[in-house]
Amino acid sequence: MKIVSGRRLEQWRKQARQAAIAADLSPDEVDWILQDLSEIDRLDLRLGTFADRDRIALHVDLEELDRLWQKRIRDRVPLQYLTGVAPWRNFELSVSPDVLVPRPETEELVDVAIAATRRTKLDCDRGIWADLGTGSGAIALGLSVAFPEATICAVDISKAALAVARRNAEKLNCDRVQFYCGSWFEPLEQYREKLCAIVSNPPYIPSGEVPKLQPEVSRHEPHLALDGGEDGLNCIRQLVRMAPQYLQPGGIWLVEMMAGQAGNVVELLEQQGSYRDIQIIKDMGNMERFALAYSPDGV
Ligand code: GLN
């Protein structure tokens, strides 16, 4: 811990907020970095009361804090990579540039999954789930908290991403999440016809769009987790094709996608011929964000 006076920190905050506005970033980000890297809380920041204290403990010294902030402003590094943490659902996940920063839309994917279990006779509370392309482990951990007796298989092709996901599972004491390194269903051979649900936030951005995303995303987030091939649907196509071999009858297929893809995803699911109750679900921004389907019950 490094100690700094409230006055000194207040000066830094003021300057940093001005720099944020000049760089077209929200000045609130200054407060987020301060909350992550110091003992000051939100109320203290909002009321300005921290400025009256003689001693404030920071996790890094003021020079380092400023260096991190410059990286935010100049290099557009996402704040979550600078602090190493991202709030998501009710936890604080560790993140690094090896994983996507988990998004608010994806928080909803877990709620959609919970609601989806009400429309199958399968006992999903105690079933085996797969989160394919788990990244930071966000979805797998969200499911594990929602279904504490279920087993969650978290798969990623990136070893570096899995290391982050494992760290998060340890931090949250989620010992029912199992980690597998490999491409989609490849490491789940033993679970053929045994899964009650597969969920995924796969890469779905068309390759040509990736460089046009905001610089935080295109310059700093892993393209492996974003780039879904020419039309963005390469991975979703694989998930549609492979899942029926792994799902139990009545199993859930739930995938995140981007605006404009819903029609094509429904068509892929319909053409595959082994899904029922295909639905598109909107996110809180009113975007068609999730595709949900079930494998037939066999009744
Ligand atoms: N939602 C992310 C973005 O817009 C992309 C995530 C993904 O490709 N799965 O940057």
Side-chain angles (χ1 to χ4, degrees):
M1 284 289 176
K2 319 281 170 190
I3 304 298
V4 63
S5 75
R7 284 275 162 244
R8 181 76 197 83
L9 197 62
E10 189 196 27
Q11 273 170 14
W12 180 83
R13 177 181 180 240
K14 213 166 151 191
Q15 251 174 23
R17 286 174 67 91
Q18 278 162 2
I21 294 164
D24 228 357
L25 294 172
S26 164
D28 289 344
E29 289 202 25
V30 178
D31 289 357
W32 298 342
I33 199 170
L34 281 172
Q35 282 173 73
D36 282 334
L37 298 180
S38 78
E39 59 171 17
I40 311 174
D41 64 24
R42 222 166 112 199
L43 191 63
D44 221 359
L45 281 164
R46 182 166 297 177
L47 300 177
T49 39
F50 73 94
D52 299 327
R53 283 197 270 149
D54 291 339
R55 295 163 60 85
I56 290 180
L58 292 177
H59 300 183
V60 292
D61 59 33
L62 205 50
E63 288 68 39
E64 173 66 4
L65 178 64
D66 196 54
R67 200 183 62 78
L68 292 172
W69 184 245
Q70 292 308 320
K71 279 184 150 185
R72 176 74 195 101
I73 301 267
R74 267 204 315 262
D75 306 336
R76 297 271 155 170
V77 178
L79 195 71
Q80 294 91 333
Y81 289 157
L82 296 172
T83 59
V85 289
W88 192 83
R89 286 183 75 86
N90 49 341
F91 8 93
E92 186 168 82
L93 296 171
S94 292
V95 292
S96 80
D98 292 316
V99 300
L100 278 191
V101 173
R103 307 284 201 264
E105 304 85 279
T106 312
E107 296 185 47
E108 290 182 77
L109 181 70
V110 177
D111 296 315
V112 175
I114 295 168
T117 62
R118 298 190 193 116
R119 301 202 37 222
T120 169
K121 288 186 209 127
L122 284 181
D123 182 7
C124 296
D125 287 2
R126 274 162 283 273
I128 305 168
W129 293 66
D131 169 19
L132 301 168
T134 195
S136 62
I139 296 172
L141 296 166
L143 291 170
S144 181
V145 168
F147 303 105
E149 291 177 62
T151 298
I152 322 286
C153 302
V155 179
D156 209 288
I157 199 163
S158 157
K159 282 204 177 101
L162 279 178
V164 174
R166 277 204 180 90
R167 202 159 61 235
N168 281 320
E170 273 164 32
K171 228 165 69 173
L172 297 167
N173 272 324
C174 284
D175 55 3
R176 303 212 56 146
V177 182
Q178 299 172 357
F179 296 94
Y180 297 90
C181 190
S183 172
W184 308 117
F185 290 96
E186 179 192 69
L188 300 182
E189 201 50 41
Q190 75 266 38
Y191 292 118
R192 269 181 191 269
E193 293 174 34
K194 297 214 171 73
L195 302 177
C196 67
I198 79 112
V199 295
S200 181
N201 172 19
Y204 53 65
I205 312 280
S207 305
E209 301 288 319
V210 175
K212 300 185 210 151
L213 297 171
Q214 59 187 105
E216 281 81 353
V217 183
S218 64
R219 286 178 17 204
H220 300 287
E221 301 210 69
H223 286 201
L224 180 66
L226 294 166
D227 189 339
E230 194 171 347
D231 64 354
L233 295 171
N234 282 358
C235 305
I236 296 184
R237 255 185 227 104
Q238 285 214 49
L239 294 171
V240 170
R241 186 163 47 84
M242 305 283 292
Q245 299 164 46
Y246 290 84
L247 286 172
Q248 294 183 56
I252 296 166
W253 186 96
L254 173 61
V255 164
E256 182 178 317
M257 63 193 167
M258 68 183 242
Q261 292 178 331
N264 289 329
V265 175
V266 168
E267 201 175 302
L268 289 171
L269 286 160
E270 281 172 350
Q271 275 170 3
Q272 217 284 339
S274 14
Y275 295 95
R276 66 160 171 95
D277 290 349
I278 300 167
Q279 293 167 52
I280 297 298
I281 296 152
K282 289 185 175 176
D283 66 13
M284 56 198 155
N286 212 26
M287 298 283 187
E288 294 184 320
R289 179 67 66 190
F290 309 108
L292 169 66
Y294 295 82
S295 70
D297 283 325
V299 283

PDB file of all heavy atoms in Angstrom, residues 86-110:
ATOM      1  N   ALA A  86     -12.968  -6.868 -13.557  1.00  0.00           N
ATOM      2  CA  ALA A  86     -14.181  -6.393 -14.222  1.00  0.00           C
ATOM      3  C   ALA A  86     -15.378  -6.820 -13.386  1.00  0.00           C
ATOM      4  O   ALA A  86     -15.523  -8.002 -13.075  1.00  0.00           O
ATOM      5  CB  ALA A  86     -14.289  -7.009 -15.611  1.00  0.00           C
ATOM      6  N   PRO A  87     -16.234  -5.867 -13.007  1.00  0.00           N
ATOM      7  CA  PRO A  87     -17.463  -6.265 -12.315  1.00  0.00           C
ATOM      8  C   PRO A  87     -18.395  -6.923 -13.319  1.00  0.00           C
ATOM      9  O   PRO A  87     -18.526  -6.444 -14.449  1.00  0.00           O
ATOM     10  CB  PRO A  87     -18.045  -4.930 -11.822  1.00  0.00           C
ATOM     11  CG  PRO A  87     -17.439  -3.882 -12.675  1.00  0.00           C
ATOM     12  CD  PRO A  87     -16.159  -4.416 -13.240  1.00  0.00           C
ATOM     13  N   TRP A  88     -19.007  -8.020 -12.943  1.00  0.00           N
ATOM     14  CA  TRP A  88     -19.897  -8.737 -13.868  1.00  0.00           C
ATOM     15  C   TRP A  88     -20.867  -9.552 -13.029  1.00  0.00           C
ATOM     16  O   TRP A  88     -20.434 -10.308 -12.170  1.00  0.00           O
ATOM     17  CB  TRP A  88     -19.080  -9.647 -14.786  1.00  0.00           C
ATOM     18  CG  TRP A  88     -19.846 -10.192 -15.940  1.00  0.00           C
ATOM     19  CD1 TRP A  88     -20.093  -9.566 -17.120  1.00  0.00           C
ATOM     20  CD2 TRP A  88     -20.458 -11.491 -16.029  1.00  0.00           C
ATOM     21  NE1 TRP A  88     -20.825 -10.396 -17.938  1.00  0.00           N
ATOM     22  CE2 TRP A  88     -21.061 -11.589 -17.295  1.00  0.00           C
ATOM     23  CE3 TRP A  88     -20.542 -12.580 -15.162  1.00  0.00           C
ATOM     24  CZ2 TRP A  88     -21.751 -12.709 -17.713  1.00  0.00           C
ATOM     25  CZ3 TRP A  88     -21.236 -13.700 -15.574  1.00  0.00           C
ATOM     26  CH2 TRP A  88     -21.825 -13.758 -16.850  1.00  0.00           C
ATOM     27  N   ARG A  89     -22.173  -9.410 -13.293  1.00  0.00           N
ATOM     28  CA  ARG A  89     -23.197  -9.961 -12.413  1.00  0.00           C
ATOM     29  C   ARG A  89     -22.844  -9.590 -10.973  1.00  0.00           C
ATOM     30  O   ARG A  89     -22.509  -8.448 -10.713  1.00  0.00           O
ATOM     31  CB  ARG A  89     -23.385 -11.471 -12.644  1.00  0.00           C
ATOM     32  CG  ARG A  89     -24.154 -11.724 -13.970  1.00  0.00           C
ATOM     33  CD  ARG A  89     -24.431 -13.176 -14.234  1.00  0.00           C
ATOM     34  NE  ARG A  89     -25.482 -13.735 -13.421  1.00  0.00           N
ATOM     35  CZ  ARG A  89     -26.788 -13.692 -13.721  1.00  0.00           C
ATOM     36  NH1 ARG A  89     -27.194 -13.086 -14.806  1.00  0.00           N
ATOM     37  NH2 ARG A  89     -27.679 -14.243 -12.933  1.00  0.00           N
ATOM     38  N   ASN A  90     -22.891 -10.581 -10.064  1.00  0.00           N
ATOM     39  CA  ASN A  90     -22.591 -10.164  -8.690  1.00  0.00           C
ATOM     40  C   ASN A  90     -21.162 -10.471  -8.284  1.00  0.00           C
ATOM     41  O   ASN A  90     -20.864 -10.582  -7.115  1.00  0.00           O
ATOM     42  CB  ASN A  90     -23.588 -10.784  -7.707  1.00  0.00           C
ATOM     43  CG  ASN A  90     -23.736 -12.263  -7.935  1.00  0.00           C
ATOM     44  OD1 ASN A  90     -23.391 -12.758  -9.019  1.00  0.00           O
ATOM     45  ND2 ASN A  90     -24.209 -12.989  -6.946  1.00  0.00           N
ATOM     46  N   PHE A  91     -20.249 -10.649  -9.277  1.00  0.00           N
ATOM     47  CA  PHE A  91     -18.863 -10.844  -8.859  1.00  0.00           C
ATOM     48  C   PHE A  91     -17.891  -9.883  -9.507  1.00  0.00           C
ATOM     49  O   PHE A  91     -18.246  -9.126 -10.385  1.00  0.00           O
ATOM     50  CB  PHE A  91     -18.336 -12.263  -9.085  1.00  0.00           C
ATOM     51  CG  PHE A  91     -19.182 -13.217  -9.856  1.00  0.00           C
ATOM     52  CD1 PHE A  91     -19.022 -13.372 -11.217  1.00  0.00           C
ATOM     53  CD2 PHE A  91     -20.115 -13.999  -9.191  1.00  0.00           C
ATOM     54  CE1 PHE A  91     -19.783 -14.299 -11.918  1.00  0.00           C
ATOM     55  CE2 PHE A  91     -20.867 -14.915  -9.886  1.00  0.00           C
ATOM     56  CZ  PHE A  91     -20.704 -15.076 -11.249  1.00  0.00           C
ATOM     57  N   GLU A  92     -16.667  -9.976  -9.015  1.00  0.00           N
ATOM     58  CA  GLU A  92     -15.597  -9.196  -9.603  1.00  0.00           C
ATOM     59  C   GLU A  92     -14.641 -10.192 -10.240  1.00  0.00           C
ATOM     60  O   GLU A  92     -13.991 -10.975  -9.537  1.00  0.00           O
ATOM     61  CB  GLU A  92     -14.898  -8.411  -8.500  1.00  0.00           C
ATOM     62  CG  GLU A  92     -13.876  -7.477  -9.057  1.00  0.00           C
ATOM     63  CD  GLU A  92     -13.403  -6.503  -8.003  1.00  0.00           C
ATOM     64  OE1 GLU A  92     -12.526  -6.883  -7.205  1.00  0.00           O
ATOM     65  OE2 GLU A  92     -13.925  -5.371  -7.974  1.00  0.00           O
ATOM     66  N   LEU A  93     -14.599 -10.201 -11.558  1.00  0.00           N
ATOM     67  CA  LEU A  93     -13.772 -11.183 -12.258  1.00  0.00           C
ATOM     68  C   LEU A  93     -12.390 -10.617 -12.536  1.00  0.00           C
ATOM     69  O   LEU A  93     -12.247  -9.429 -12.813  1.00  0.00           O
ATOM     70  CB  LEU A  93     -14.428 -11.548 -13.588  1.00  0.00           C
ATOM     71  CG  LEU A  93     -15.780 -12.252 -13.499  1.00  0.00           C
ATOM     72  CD1 LEU A  93     -16.432 -12.351 -14.873  1.00  0.00           C
ATOM     73  CD2 LEU A  93     -15.626 -13.639 -12.880  1.00  0.00           C
ATOM     74  N   SER A  94     -11.386 -11.499 -12.481  1.00  0.00           N
ATOM     75  CA  SER A  94     -10.058 -11.097 -12.959  1.00  0.00           C
ATOM     76  C   SER A  94     -10.088 -11.168 -14.475  1.00  0.00           C
ATOM     77  O   SER A  94     -10.662 -12.100 -15.043  1.00  0.00           O
ATOM     78  CB  SER A  94      -8.983 -12.086 -12.481  1.00  0.00           C
ATOM     79  OG  SER A  94      -8.840 -12.002 -11.111  1.00  0.00           O
ATOM     80  N   VAL A  95      -9.456 -10.201 -15.112  1.00  0.00           N
ATOM     81  CA  VAL A  95      -9.354 -10.239 -16.573  1.00  0.00           C
ATOM     82  C   VAL A  95      -7.937  -9.838 -16.985  1.00  0.00           C
ATOM     83  O   VAL A  95      -7.221  -9.182 -16.230  1.00  0.00           O
ATOM     84  CB  VAL A  95     -10.359  -9.289 -17.277  1.00  0.00           C
ATOM     85  CG1 VAL A  95     -11.786  -9.750 -17.112  1.00  0.00           C
ATOM     86  CG2 VAL A  95     -10.201  -7.847 -16.790  1.00  0.00           C
ATOM     87  N   SER A  96      -7.557 -10.278 -18.185  1.00  0.00           N
ATOM     88  CA  SER A  96      -6.289  -9.867 -18.782  1.00  0.00           C
ATOM     89  C   SER A  96      -6.543  -9.770 -20.276  1.00  0.00           C
ATOM     90  O   SER A  96      -7.603 -10.219 -20.746  1.00  0.00           O
ATOM     91  CB  SER A  96      -5.218 -10.925 -18.496  1.00  0.00           C
ATOM     92  OG  SER A  96      -5.377 -11.998 -19.406  1.00  0.00           O
ATOM     93  N   PRO A  97      -5.592  -9.235 -21.027  1.00  0.00           N
ATOM     94  CA  PRO A  97      -5.819  -9.147 -22.485  1.00  0.00           C
ATOM     95  C   PRO A  97      -5.949 -10.516 -23.164  1.00  0.00           C
ATOM     96  O   PRO A  97      -6.208 -10.590 -24.358  1.00  0.00           O
ATOM     97  CB  PRO A  97      -4.583  -8.387 -22.988  1.00  0.00           C
ATOM     98  CG  PRO A  97      -4.107  -7.614 -21.791  1.00  0.00           C
ATOM     99  CD  PRO A  97      -4.391  -8.484 -20.609  1.00  0.00           C
ATOM    100  N   ASP A  98      -5.801 -11.600 -22.432  1.00  0.00           N
ATOM    101  CA  ASP A  98      -6.046 -12.935 -23.011  1.00  0.00           C
ATOM    102  C   ASP A  98      -7.530 -13.260 -23.110  1.00  0.00           C
ATOM    103  O   ASP A  98      -7.893 -14.276 -23.720  1.00  0.00           O
ATOM    104  CB  ASP A  98      -5.380 -14.018 -22.139  1.00  0.00           C
ATOM    105  CG  ASP A  98      -3.882 -13.922 -22.220  1.00  0.00           C
ATOM    106  OD1 ASP A  98      -3.352 -13.758 -23.332  1.00  0.00           O
ATOM    107  OD2 ASP A  98      -3.234 -13.983 -21.159  1.00  0.00           O
ATOM    108  N   VAL A  99      -8.376 -12.461 -22.464  1.00  0.00           N
ATOM    109  CA  VAL A  99      -9.813 -12.745 -22.491  1.00  0.00           C
ATOM    110  C   VAL A  99     -10.584 -11.478 -22.831  1.00  0.00           C
ATOM    111  O   VAL A  99     -10.109 -10.372 -22.571  1.00  0.00           O
ATOM    112  CB  VAL A  99     -10.322 -13.292 -21.126  1.00  0.00           C
ATOM    113  CG1 VAL A  99      -9.606 -14.580 -20.761  1.00  0.00           C
ATOM    114  CG2 VAL A  99     -10.173 -12.257 -20.000  1.00  0.00           C
ATOM    115  N   LEU A 100     -11.767 -11.641 -23.404  1.00  0.00           N
ATOM    116  CA  LEU A 100     -12.647 -10.482 -23.607  1.00  0.00           C
ATOM    117  C   LEU A 100     -13.035  -9.929 -22.249  1.00  0.00           C
ATOM    118  O   LEU A 100     -13.217 -10.697 -21.305  1.00  0.00           O
ATOM    119  CB  LEU A 100     -13.959 -10.902 -24.275  1.00  0.00           C
ATOM    120  CG  LEU A 100     -14.084 -11.100 -25.763  1.00  0.00           C
ATOM    121  CD1 LEU A 100     -15.566 -11.233 -26.110  1.00  0.00           C
ATOM    122  CD2 LEU A 100     -13.467  -9.970 -26.541  1.00  0.00           C
ATOM    123  N   VAL A 101     -13.210  -8.629 -22.185  1.00  0.00           N
ATOM    124  CA  VAL A 101     -13.815  -8.045 -20.992  1.00  0.00           C
ATOM    125  C   VAL A 101     -15.285  -8.487 -21.018  1.00  0.00           C
ATOM    126  O   VAL A 101     -15.977  -8.247 -22.003  1.00  0.00           O
ATOM    127  CB  VAL A 101     -13.724  -6.507 -21.031  1.00  0.00           C
ATOM    128  CG1 VAL A 101     -14.497  -5.899 -19.866  1.00  0.00           C
ATOM    129  CG2 VAL A 101     -12.273  -6.049 -21.030  1.00  0.00           C
ATOM    130  N   PRO A 102     -15.755  -9.173 -19.983  1.00  0.00           N
ATOM    131  CA  PRO A 102     -17.144  -9.655 -20.048  1.00  0.00           C
ATOM    132  C   PRO A 102     -18.119  -8.480 -20.128  1.00  0.00           C
ATOM    133  O   PRO A 102     -17.965  -7.485 -19.436  1.00  0.00           O
ATOM    134  CB  PRO A 102     -17.318 -10.452 -18.751  1.00  0.00           C
ATOM    135  CG  PRO A 102     -16.187 -10.055 -17.868  1.00  0.00           C
ATOM    136  CD  PRO A 102     -15.088  -9.524 -18.725  1.00  0.00           C
ATOM    137  N   ARG A 103     -19.105  -8.634 -21.019  1.00  0.00           N
ATOM    138  CA  ARG A 103     -20.017  -7.532 -21.347  1.00  0.00           C
ATOM    139  C   ARG A 103     -21.320  -7.617 -20.554  1.00  0.00           C
ATOM    140  O   ARG A 103     -21.772  -8.718 -20.208  1.00  0.00           O
ATOM    141  CB  ARG A 103     -20.414  -7.602 -22.822  1.00  0.00           C
ATOM    142  CG  ARG A 103     -19.277  -7.679 -23.811  1.00  0.00           C
ATOM    143  CD  ARG A 103     -18.618  -6.323 -23.964  1.00  0.00           C
ATOM    144  NE  ARG A 103     -17.872  -6.221 -25.215  1.00  0.00           N
ATOM    145  CZ  ARG A 103     -16.576  -6.433 -25.350  1.00  0.00           C
ATOM    146  NH1 ARG A 103     -15.855  -6.811 -24.317  1.00  0.00           N
ATOM    147  NH2 ARG A 103     -15.988  -6.267 -26.521  1.00  0.00           N
ATOM    148  N   PRO A 104     -21.977  -6.453 -20.380  1.00  0.00           N
ATOM    149  CA  PRO A 104     -23.275  -6.463 -19.687  1.00  0.00           C
ATOM    150  C   PRO A 104     -24.323  -7.327 -20.403  1.00  0.00           C
ATOM    151  O   PRO A 104     -25.120  -7.988 -19.749  1.00  0.00           O
ATOM    152  CB  PRO A 104     -23.709  -4.998 -19.680  1.00  0.00           C
ATOM    153  CG  PRO A 104     -22.571  -4.197 -20.164  1.00  0.00           C
ATOM    154  CD  PRO A 104     -21.518  -5.093 -20.717  1.00  0.00           C
ATOM    155  N   GLU A 105     -24.305  -7.346 -21.742  1.00  0.00           N
ATOM    156  CA  GLU A 105     -25.292  -8.177 -22.462  1.00  0.00           C
ATOM    157  C   GLU A 105     -25.150  -9.630 -22.039  1.00  0.00           C
ATOM    158  O   GLU A 105     -26.130 -10.370 -21.925  1.00  0.00           O
ATOM    159  CB  GLU A 105     -25.076  -8.171 -23.980  1.00  0.00           C
ATOM    160  CG  GLU A 105     -25.069  -6.856 -24.683  1.00  0.00           C
ATOM    161  CD  GLU A 105     -23.704  -6.207 -24.658  1.00  0.00           C
ATOM    162  OE1 GLU A 105     -23.406  -5.599 -23.610  1.00  0.00           O
ATOM    163  OE2 GLU A 105     -22.960  -6.271 -25.646  1.00  0.00           O
ATOM    164  N   THR A 106     -23.901 -10.036 -21.857  1.00  0.00           N
ATOM    165  CA  THR A 106     -23.648 -11.449 -21.555  1.00  0.00           C
ATOM    166  C   THR A 106     -24.117 -11.804 -20.139  1.00  0.00           C
ATOM    167  O   THR A 106     -24.390 -12.967 -19.844  1.00  0.00           O
ATOM    168  CB  THR A 106     -22.158 -11.766 -21.802  1.00  0.00           C
ATOM    169  OG1 THR A 106     -21.793 -11.240 -23.080  1.00  0.00           O
ATOM    170  CG2 THR A 106     -21.884 -13.257 -21.793  1.00  0.00           C
ATOM    171  N   GLU A 107     -24.241 -10.784 -19.282  1.00  0.00           N
ATOM    172  CA  GLU A 107     -24.830 -11.043 -17.957  1.00  0.00           C
ATOM    173  C   GLU A 107     -26.237 -11.613 -18.147  1.00  0.00           C
ATOM    174  O   GLU A 107     -26.680 -12.494 -17.414  1.00  0.00           O
ATOM    175  CB  GLU A 107     -24.921  -9.758 -17.132  1.00  0.00           C
ATOM    176  CG  GLU A 107     -23.571  -9.150 -16.812  1.00  0.00           C
ATOM    177  CD  GLU A 107     -23.692  -7.944 -15.889  1.00  0.00           C
ATOM    178  OE1 GLU A 107     -24.404  -8.026 -14.884  1.00  0.00           O
ATOM    179  OE2 GLU A 107     -23.064  -6.921 -16.189  1.00  0.00           O
ATOM    180  N   GLU A 108     -26.935 -11.068 -19.142  1.00  0.00           N
ATOM    181  CA  GLU A 108     -28.318 -11.505 -19.382  1.00  0.00           C
ATOM    182  C   GLU A 108     -28.402 -12.916 -19.911  1.00  0.00           C
ATOM    183  O   GLU A 108     -29.431 -13.572 -19.765  1.00  0.00           O
ATOM    184  CB  GLU A 108     -28.997 -10.568 -20.397  1.00  0.00           C
ATOM    185  CG  GLU A 108     -29.278  -9.205 -19.854  1.00  0.00           C
ATOM    186  CD  GLU A 108     -29.988  -8.384 -20.917  1.00  0.00           C
ATOM    187  OE1 GLU A 108     -31.196  -8.587 -21.124  1.00  0.00           O
ATOM    188  OE2 GLU A 108     -29.326  -7.541 -21.550  1.00  0.00           O
ATOM    189  N   LEU A 109     -27.336 -13.374 -20.560  1.00  0.00           N
ATOM    190  CA  LEU A 109     -27.343 -14.734 -21.110  1.00  0.00           C
ATOM    191  C   LEU A 109     -27.614 -15.745 -19.994  1.00  0.00           C
ATOM    192  O   LEU A 109     -28.321 -16.737 -20.189  1.00  0.00           O
ATOM    193  CB  LEU A 109     -25.990 -15.020 -21.780  1.00  0.00           C
ATOM    194  CG  LEU A 109     -25.805 -16.379 -22.437  1.00  0.00           C
ATOM    195  CD1 LEU A 109     -26.659 -16.495 -23.685  1.00  0.00           C
ATOM    196  CD2 LEU A 109     -24.353 -16.595 -22.823  1.00  0.00           C
ATOM    197  N   VAL A 110     -27.075 -15.478 -18.830  1.00  0.00           N
ATOM    198  CA  VAL A 110     -27.274 -16.399 -17.698  1.00  0.00           C
ATOM    199  C   VAL A 110     -28.749 -16.391 -17.268  1.00  0.00           C
ATOM    200  O   VAL A 110     -29.328 -17.441 -16.991  1.00  0.00           O
ATOM    201  CB  VAL A 110     -26.333 -16.031 -16.521  1.00  0.00           C
ATOM    202  CG1 VAL A 110     -26.580 -16.929 -15.322  1.00  0.00           C
ATOM    203  CG2 VAL A 110     -24.873 -16.110 -16.966  1.00  0.00           C
TER     204      VAL A 110
END
